[in-house]
C-alpha cells in the first residue's frame, strides 16, 4: 500500500511536445470567460467525463476532457482537475490529433526538480498543488494548432474512508464554460451489499439536480449518473455562463451482518473492521488552547464558539480540563473534573472569559496537559474503563520557552509514552503545519488545518465529533505470521464510532481457508447469546452481531471472547474460568438432524459455589452413589440405581462425546443417562431451563 506518500504526489509530464511542431509556451491557467455557447478564447471544450469504478471502497477514477481549437491561430488549452488530498495519480496522457504523449508520475522531490527544468525549457509539465481543505489541484497547459483537437486523460485512485457512518466520494465540478457533453458516471460494487446510496451537489437546486441525476442500488451494485444538458448547465435561461461550479458528493454504506469482513483477491487480502452498536467509552480530554496575541479577534471568538458547542456534547461520564498557553501556562482547574451539569456551566463561564495575550509556549502547554492526564490515571481520578485524549489548537510557531520543533516533539513523545493520542489543530496558514502533523502522527493521532473562513467554529466542532465517541481502545488486528508477507498498519490506539479500520496484506501460498484474522480491543462489557446461526454480544443492552464465519477476539480487563471460524467460541474471565461453545454441523440435507451447539466448561472447579443453572448446580462436588448394576432393555446398555440428593433413580449406561480437548472430533466417554428429563437429579423440573424463541 502506498498510503504514506499519497498526499505528496507530484506529476511531471515530460513529453517531446516542444519538438513536435507546437510552439513553446509558458505555463498558464485560463481564467473563466463568458463567451457564446461553450467557446472560450477560440477553444471549445466539448466533452468532459468523470468515470469512476468503486470496488470494495477503492475508487478508480478517469477524468477525460476533449477540446478543439476553432480559432485561426494556435491557442493555449488548459486542463485542471482538483483531486482529493488522499488520492494518488497513476496516469496522465495528452492526445493531440491522434498522437498520444504519456506522462511520468514521480515522487515529490524528484518531480519538483523535473517540473522546474521542464518549464524552464518550454516543455509541457503538470504539478499537483494544495487547493483548499480537501483538495489538491493538478494543472497542465498546451498549445494547440488551429483546427486541432486535444484530449486530456487523468487517472487517479483513492481508498474511500468511512466517516460518520458513510463512505464519501468527493468530486470537484468546475468546467468554467458550457459543455455539450458533460457527465459523471459512477459504478459501485461492494461484496457485502450496499445498504444506502445518495448523491448531492452544492451548485445546483434539488429540482434541477433531480432531472439531471439518476441513482440506484440493489444488492452488491450501485450506480450514480449526473448528466446535465446545456440548458441545465446555464446559470440563467439566457446565460452562456455555467453554474457547474462546486462540490458533487456521493455517499454510501455497506451491509454489516458481522463487524469484520475479509476479502481475498489474487493473493492479497483486505480486512475491513467496523463493529456497530457498541457503547461509547468514557473519555478524559485535555484541551490545550493557544491564547497568544496572534489569536486575537475573530480566531479566538470562533474558538470560544466551538468550545461552547463541544461542551454541549460532553457526556456526564467524561472528564475534562482546559490548559491555556501564551508566554506562560494557566489552567481552568488543578486537575481533570467530571462533566457534571454544574461543572459544565462553570466551564462555559471560563471559556467566555478567555483573553489573548503574549507569546506562544507550545512545549509547556502540551506537557502540562499530558501531565494532567497521566496524574488523573495514576491517582484514580478518572474511571478505570476510560480513555484519554489531548487536543491542541494553535495558530503559530513556538517562540518562547523550548522553540525547537524537534525538541518539542521529543518531549511530547516521551511524556505521552504511547499511552494516548494527540490531535493537533492548526488555525490559519502562518504556522509550521508539518511540525504539528508529524508530532500528532507519532503519538497515534492526526493533525487538521482549520481554515480562516466564516465557518471555522463549525470546522472545529466537526473535528471534535470525529473523536468524541471512542468505542474501542488498544485495537490489534492479528494474522498468522506464516500466512502473510506484508502488512499495512494493524494496531490502533482508538476505534471511533462511524469509522472503519482497514488492513491489507499479501498472502503466502493459495490456501485461503487457513487464513484467519483476530481482532483484539478493550472497552466492551458484554453478555453473550449464541445460536447455530449467529453470536450476539449484548453490551449495556446494545447488540453487536457476529457470524460463525468470523474469527474475532474481543478482550476487556479480566474477560476475553474468541470466535474460531466454523468451530467454536471460547469465553474466559476471572481466575481462569473458561467456557467453550462448539458448533456441531450436520449434513444440510439431513431429513432429521439439525446443527447443534455443545456447551462445555473448562476448569469448572474455579466457579463460585453460588453458580447455579442447568449446569452450574453441578460445578461443585456433590455426593452420589451408583449400585445394583443389572441388564437393561438394551443388552449393550445396563441399568443401575443412582442415589443422589436423597432421591433413588434408575439410570442407563451409554456413551457421549467430550469436546473439551478436541473440538472437532471429541473424545468418547462412558456416562450414566438419567431418565424422565433428569427428574430427581436437577433442581426443579426441566421446563425451568428451557429458553424460549432460541431459534
Amino acid at each position: 500500500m502506498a498510503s504514506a506518500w499519497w498526499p505528496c504526489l507530484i506529476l511531471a509530464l515530460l513529453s517531446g511536445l516542444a519538438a513536435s511542431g507546437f510552439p513553446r509556451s509558458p505555463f498558464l491557467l485560463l481564467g473563466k470567460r463568458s463567451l457564446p455557447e461553450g467557446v472560450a478564447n477560440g477553444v471549445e471544450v466539448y466533452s468532459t467525463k468523470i468515470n469512476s469504478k468503486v470496488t470494495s471502497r477503492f475508487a478508480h477514477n478517469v477524468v477525460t476532457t476533449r477540446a478543439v481549437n476553432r480559432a485561426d491561430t494556435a491557442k493555449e488549452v488548459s486542463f485542471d482537475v482538483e483531486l482529493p488530498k488522499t488520492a494518488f495519480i497513476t496516469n496522465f496522457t495528452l492526445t493531440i490529433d491522434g498522437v498520444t504523449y504519456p506522462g511520468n508520475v514521480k515522487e515529490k522531490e524528484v518531480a519538483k526538480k523535473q517540473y522546474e527544468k521542464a518549464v524552464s525549457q518550454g516543455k509541457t509539465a503538470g504539478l499537483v498543488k494544495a487547493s483548499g481543505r480537501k483538495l489538491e489541484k493538478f494543472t497542465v497547459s498546451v498549445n494547440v494548432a488551429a483546427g486541432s483537437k486535444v484530449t486530456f486523460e487523468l487517472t487517479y485512485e483513492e481508498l474511500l474512508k468511512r466517516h460518520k457512518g458513510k463512505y464519501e466520494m468527493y468530486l470537484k465540478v468546475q468546467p468554467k464554460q458550457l459543455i455539450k457533453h458533460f457527465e459523471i458516471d459512477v459504478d459501485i460494487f461492494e461484496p457485502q451489499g450496499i445498504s444506502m446510496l445518495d448523491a448531492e451537489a452544492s451548485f445546483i437546486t434539488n429540482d434541477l439536480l433531480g432531472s439531471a441525476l439518476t441513482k440506484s442500488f440493489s444488492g452488491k451494485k450501485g450506480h450514480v449518473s449526473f448528466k446535465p444538458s446545456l440548458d441545465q448547465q446555464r446559470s440563467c435561461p439566457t446565460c452562456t455562463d455555467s453554474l457547474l461550479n462546486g462540490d458533487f458528493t456521493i455517499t454510501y454504506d455497506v451491509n454489516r451482518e458481522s463487524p469484520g469482513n475479509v476479502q481475498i483477491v489474487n493473493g492479497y487480502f483486505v480486512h475491513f473492521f467496523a463493529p456497530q452498536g457498541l457503547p461509547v467509552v468514557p473519555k478524559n480530554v485535555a484541551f490545550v488552547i493557544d491564547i497568544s496575541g496572534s489569536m486575537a479577534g475573530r480566531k479566538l471568538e470562533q474558538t470560544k464558539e466551538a468550545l461552547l458547542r463541544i461542551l454541549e456534547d460532553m457526556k456526564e461520564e467524561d472528564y475534562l480540563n482546559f490548559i491555556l498557553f501564551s508566554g506562560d501556562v494557566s489552567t481552568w482547574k488543578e486537575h481533570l473534573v467530571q462533566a457534571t451539569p454544574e461543572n459544565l456551566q462553570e466551564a462555559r463561564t471560563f471559556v467566555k472569559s478567555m483573553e489573548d495575550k503574549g507569546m506562544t509556549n507550545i512545549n509547556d502547554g502540551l506537557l502540562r496537559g499530558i501531565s494532567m492526564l497521566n496524574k488523573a490515571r495514576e491517582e484514580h481520578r478518572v474511571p478505570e474503563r476510560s480513555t484519554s485524549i489531548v487536543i491542541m489548537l494553535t495558530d503559530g510557531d513556538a517562540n518562547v520557552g523550548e522553540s525547537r520543533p524537534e525538541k518539542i516533539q521529543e518531549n511530547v513523545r516521551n511524556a505521552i509514552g504511547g499511552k494516548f493520542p494527540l490531535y493537533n489543530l492548526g488555525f490559519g496558514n502562518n504556522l509550521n503545519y508539518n511540525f504539528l502533523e508529524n508530532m500528532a502522527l507519532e503519538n497515534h493521532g492526526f493533525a487538521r488545518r482549520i481554515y480562516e473562513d466564516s465557518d471555522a467554529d463549525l470546522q472545529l466542532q466537526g473535528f471534535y465529533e470525529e473523536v468524541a465517541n471512542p468505542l474501542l481502545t488498544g485495537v490489534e488486528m492479528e494474522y498468522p505470521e506464516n500466512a502473510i508477507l506484508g502488512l499495512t498498519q494493524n494496531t490502533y490506539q482508538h476505534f471511533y464510532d462511524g469509522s472503519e479500520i482497514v488492513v491489507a496484506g499479501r498472502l503466502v501460498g493459495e490456501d485461503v481457508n487457513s487464513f484467519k484474522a483476530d481482532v483484539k480491543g478493550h472497552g466492551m462489557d458484554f453478555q453473550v447469546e449464541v445460536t447455530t446461526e449467529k453470536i450476539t454480544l449484548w453490551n449495556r443492552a446494545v447488540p453487536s452481531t457476529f457470524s460463525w464465519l468470523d474469527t474475532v477476539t474481543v478482550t476487556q480487563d479480566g474477560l476475553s471472547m474468541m470466535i474460531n471460524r466454523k468451530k467454536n467460541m471460547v469465553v474466559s474471565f476471572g481466575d481462569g474460568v473458561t467456557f467453550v461453545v462448539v458448533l456441531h454441523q450436520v449434513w444440510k440435507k439431513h431429513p432429521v438432524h439439525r446443527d447443534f451447539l455443545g456447551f462445555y466448561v473448562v476448569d469448572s472447579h474455579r466457579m463460585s459455589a453460588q453458580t447455579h443453572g442447568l449446569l452450574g448446580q453441578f460445578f461443585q462436588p456433590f455426593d452420589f452413589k451408583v449400585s445394583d448394576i443389572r441388564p437393561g432393555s438394551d443388552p449393550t446398555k445396563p441399568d443401575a440405581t443412582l442415589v443422589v440428593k436423597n432421591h433413588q433413580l434408575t439410570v442407563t449406561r451409554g456413551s457421549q462425546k467430550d469436546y473439551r480437548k478436541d473440538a472437532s472430533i471429541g473424545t468418547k466417554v462412558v456416562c450414566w443417562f438419567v431418565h424422565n428429563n433428569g427428574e430427581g437429579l436437577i433442581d426443579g423440573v426441566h421446563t425451568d431451563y428451557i429458553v424460549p424463541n432460541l431459534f
Side-chain angles (χ1 to χ4, degrees), residues 50 52-54 169 171 184-188 222-225 250:
I50 303 173
S52 300
K53 305 287 185 184
V54 181
M169 186 173 181
L171 302 172
I184 295 174
D185 190 78
V186 179
D187 287 303
I188 302 172
H223 181 254
V224 175
S225 176
I250 297 170

Side-chain angles (χ1 to χ4, degrees), residues 541-563:
V542 179
S544 182
T545 302
F546 301 83
S547 80
W548 281 102
L549 297 177
D550 293 319
T551 299
V552 177
T553 301
V554 180
T555 62
Q556 183 191 343
D557 293 341
L559 182 63
S560 171
M561 187 206 75
M562 179 172 61
I563 302 172

Side-chain angles (χ1 to χ4, degrees), residues 254-452:
V254 300
N255 296 322
R256 300 181 186 279
E257 294 180 359
S258 64
N261 177 262
V262 178
Q263 298 176 18
I264 299 175
V265 180
N266 297 328
Y268 293 85
F269 77 90
V270 182
H271 184 192
F272 302 98
F273 181 70
Q276 295 179 301
L278 303 179
V280 174
V281 176
K283 57 189 177 297
N284 317 308
V285 188
F287 294 97
V288 181
I289 308 298
D290 183 349
I291 58 166
S292 61
S294 59
M295 287 286 291
R298 186 61 179 148
K299 286 183 186 177
L300 188 58
E301 289 306 311
Q302 289 178 313
T303 299
K304 292 180 181 181
E305 291 171 16
L307 291 175
L308 291 174
R309 288 196 180 97
I310 288 171
L311 289 172
E312 295 295 330
D313 293 333
M314 295 288 287
K315 299 176 177 60
E316 189 160 357
E317 60 266 30
D318 295 338
Y319 284 71
L320 77 153
N321 202 350
F322 295 103
I323 297 89
L324 309 183
F325 68 90
S326 52
D328 52 15
V329 178
S330 61
T331 63
W332 169 44
K333 298 288 186 180
E334 292 185 3
H335 50 74
L336 294 180
V337 297
Q338 189 174 357
T340 62
E342 296 77 15
N343 284 338
L344 289 177
Q345 184 55 46
E346 188 177 343
R348 293 184 191 99
T349 302
F350 176 80
V351 167
K352 293 175 183 178
S353 69
M354 293 191 311
E355 296 181 353
D356 62 278
K357 59 179 180 179
M359 308 288 279
T360 307
N361 192 339
I362 291 177
N363 183 79
D364 289 359
L366 275 175
L367 294 184
R368 181 75 65 87
I370 295 166
S371 173
M372 194 171 290
L373 289 173
N374 284 330
K375 285 184 178 179
R377 182 72 69 185
E378 294 166 2
E379 297 172 358
H380 305 288
R381 292 181 177 275
V382 295
E384 189 68 27
R385 199 185 75 88
S386 64
T387 186
S388 299
I389 300 173
V390 181
I391 299 176
M392 181 182 73
L393 170 69
T394 184
D395 76 331
D397 297 337
N399 54 22
V400 67
E402 180 55 69
S403 59
R404 294 169 294 172
E406 65 279 2
K407 185 59 178 177
I408 297 175
Q409 284 183 232
E410 179 186 344
N411 293 342
V412 169
R413 184 172 60 249
N414 291 338
I416 291 180
K419 296 187 291 292
F420 45 78
L422 165 67
Y423 298 101
N424 288 330
L425 304 178
F427 208 132
N429 298 312
N430 299 322
L431 75 168
N432 185 347
Y433 185 75
N434 287 338
F435 157 61
L436 297 181
E437 185 172 47
N438 292 336
M439 184 164 56
L441 289 174
E442 67 182 13
N443 289 288
H444 305 289
F446 54 81
R448 287 284 168 80
R449 190 185 292 277
I450 303 301
Y451 291 85
E452 295 183 60

Side-chain angles (χ1 to χ4, degrees), residues 44-290:
E44 178 187 4
V45 178
Y46 60 89
S47 175
T48 291
K49 184 171 183 178
I50 303 173
N51 186 278
S52 300
K53 305 287 185 184
V54 181
T55 302
S56 299
R57 292 78 148 170
F58 193 82
H60 178 90
N61 310 286
V62 180
V63 183
T64 305
T65 292
R66 304 180 191 276
V68 58
N69 181 5
R70 299 200 179 280
D72 296 330
T73 59
K75 291 290 183 180
E76 186 174 62
V77 180
S78 179
F79 171 79
D80 59 87
V81 178
E82 295 193 61
L83 310 173
K85 290 184 177 180
T86 53
F88 58 99
I89 296 171
T90 56
N91 191 42
F92 178 73
T93 60
L94 275 175
T95 301
I96 302 177
D97 289 339
V99 180
T100 298
Y101 303 89
N104 296 315
V105 179
K106 302 291 183 180
E107 291 191 45
K108 188 174 182 180
E109 295 306 320
V110 174
K112 276 185 177 179
K113 294 178 181 178
Q114 293 195 12
Y115 170 77
E116 292 168 357
K117 182 179 179 181
V119 172
S120 68
Q121 294 175 352
K123 295 182 179 180
T124 299
L127 180 67
V128 177
K129 296 181 178 180
S131 177
R133 302 178 187 180
K134 298 183 179 181
L135 301 172
E136 291 180 324
K137 179 178 286 187
F138 168 79
T139 306
V140 66
S141 299
V142 63
N143 266 22
V144 178
S148 292
K149 293 183 178 180
V150 59
T151 298
F152 301 89
E153 185 173 283
L154 176 71
T155 302
Y156 70 93
E157 297 178 344
E158 178 188 15
L159 178 64
L160 304 180
K161 291 187 176 181
R162 193 164 185 256
H163 176 65
K164 297 183 180 179
K166 299 176 183 178
Y167 302 100
E168 180 181 88
M169 186 173 181
Y170 185 83
L171 302 172
K172 187 71 172 182
V173 176
Q174 198 174 22
K176 301 180 181 177
Q177 61 190 70
L178 299 177
I179 297 177
K180 289 181 180 178
H181 305 287
F182 181 90
E183 182 177 4
I184 295 174
D185 190 78
V186 179
D187 287 303
I188 302 172
F189 177 80
E190 289 291 347
Q192 290 175 253
I194 298 172
S195 62
M196 63 80 61
L197 174 65
D198 199 7
E200 59 182 19
S202 65
F203 50 82
I204 194 170
T205 64
N206 288 335
D207 291 340
L208 287 176
L209 180 65
S211 59
L213 174 71
T214 59
K215 55 185 178 181
S216 62
F217 69 95
S218 178
K220 300 178 181 180
K221 296 181 179 181
H223 181 254
V224 175
S225 176
F226 177 59
K227 195 174 182 179
S229 65
L230 273 175
D231 286 340
Q232 289 173 324
Q233 295 176 43
R234 299 180 193 277
S235 57
C236 71
T238 59
C239 293
T240 57
D241 284 348
S242 173
L243 58 72
L244 304 188
N245 185 4
D247 306 329
F248 188 84
T249 307
I250 297 170
T251 55
Y252 74 92
D253 200 14
V254 300
N255 296 322
R256 300 181 186 279
E257 294 180 359
S258 64
N261 177 262
V262 178
Q263 298 176 18
I264 299 175
V265 180
N266 297 328
Y268 293 85
F269 77 90
V270 182
H271 184 192
F272 302 98
F273 181 70
Q276 295 179 301
L278 303 179
V280 174
V281 176
K283 57 189 177 297
N284 317 308
V285 188
F287 294 97
V288 181
I289 308 298
D290 183 349

Side-chain angles (χ1 to χ4, degrees), residues 387-671:
T387 186
S388 299
I389 300 173
V390 181
I391 299 176
M392 181 182 73
L393 170 69
T394 184
D395 76 331
D397 297 337
N399 54 22
V400 67
E402 180 55 69
S403 59
R404 294 169 294 172
E406 65 279 2
K407 185 59 178 177
I408 297 175
Q409 284 183 232
E410 179 186 344
N411 293 342
V412 169
R413 184 172 60 249
N414 291 338
I416 291 180
K419 296 187 291 292
F420 45 78
L422 165 67
Y423 298 101
N424 288 330
L425 304 178
F427 208 132
N429 298 312
N430 299 322
L431 75 168
N432 185 347
Y433 185 75
N434 287 338
F435 157 61
L436 297 181
E437 185 172 47
N438 292 336
M439 184 164 56
L441 289 174
E442 67 182 13
N443 289 288
H444 305 289
F446 54 81
R448 287 284 168 80
R449 190 185 292 277
I450 303 301
Y451 291 85
E452 295 183 60
D453 293 335
S454 59
D455 66 340
D457 54 325
L458 297 179
Q459 295 175 53
L460 288 166
Q461 186 185 6
F463 157 79
Y464 177 77
E465 290 172 354
E466 290 185 55
V467 300
N469 297 306
L471 301 183
L472 294 173
T473 62
V475 182
E476 298 179 32
M477 319 288 282
E478 296 184 350
Y479 309 88
E481 292 184 3
N482 59 352
I484 58 173
L485 285 176
L487 200 64
T488 58
Q489 180 183 348
N490 65 324
T491 60
Y492 294 84
Q493 191 87 339
H494 286 118
F495 170 75
Y496 294 102
D497 189 21
S499 64
E500 182 175 60
I501 291 174
V502 181
V503 181
R506 183 179 177 185
L507 296 174
V508 176
E510 299 180 356
D511 184 10
V512 298
N513 292 323
S514 65
F515 177 81
K516 68 175 184 177
D518 292 332
V519 181
K520 297 180 180 180
H522 300 272
M524 291 185 174
D525 182 10
F526 55 77
Q527 298 177 348
V528 184
E529 179 184 299
V530 187
T531 74
T532 56
E533 300 296 329
K534 62 183 180 180
I535 300 163
T536 304
L537 276 66
W538 292 87
N539 197 340
R540 295 185 181 178
V542 179
S544 182
T545 302
F546 301 83
S547 80
W548 281 102
L549 297 177
D550 293 319
T551 299
V552 177
T553 301
V554 180
T555 62
Q556 183 191 343
D557 293 341
L559 182 63
S560 171
M561 187 206 75
M562 179 172 61
I563 302 172
N564 296 307
R565 176 184 169 90
K566 292 185 177 181
K567 292 182 179 180
N568 59 34
M569 183 190 73
V570 180
V571 178
S572 302
F573 65 91
D575 187 20
V577 179
T578 302
F579 299 98
V580 180
V581 181
V582 180
L583 174 64
H584 300 291
Q585 294 181 301
V586 300
W587 180 42
K588 290 184 178 180
K589 297 182 180 180
H590 198 289
V592 178
H593 297 296
R594 304 171 61 185
D595 292 352
F596 65 97
L597 300 174
F599 184 85
Y600 307 93
V601 182
V602 183
D603 296 330
S604 60
H605 63 281
R606 297 178 182 272
M607 301 289 287
S608 165
Q610 304 301 316
T611 305
H612 199 65
L614 180 60
L615 299 178
Q617 58 191 288
F618 304 112
F619 284 159
Q620 300 297 323
F622 59 93
D623 294 328
F624 69 93
K625 182 179 180 181
V626 178
S627 61
D628 189 21
I629 300 176
R630 55 194 182 274
S633 57
D634 184 340
T636 64
K637 298 179 179 180
D639 287 347
T641 298
L642 172 68
V643 178
V644 61
K645 297 184 179 180
N646 297 321
H647 295 118
Q648 185 171 297
L649 311 175
T650 297
V651 293
T652 301
R653 186 159 62 191
S655 64
Q656 184 60 275
K657 287 287 190 74
D658 182 349
Y659 291 91
R660 287 176 295 182
K661 295 182 179 179
D662 188 332
S664 300
I665 302 174
T667 304
K668 186 177 180 180
V669 296
V670 176
C671 56

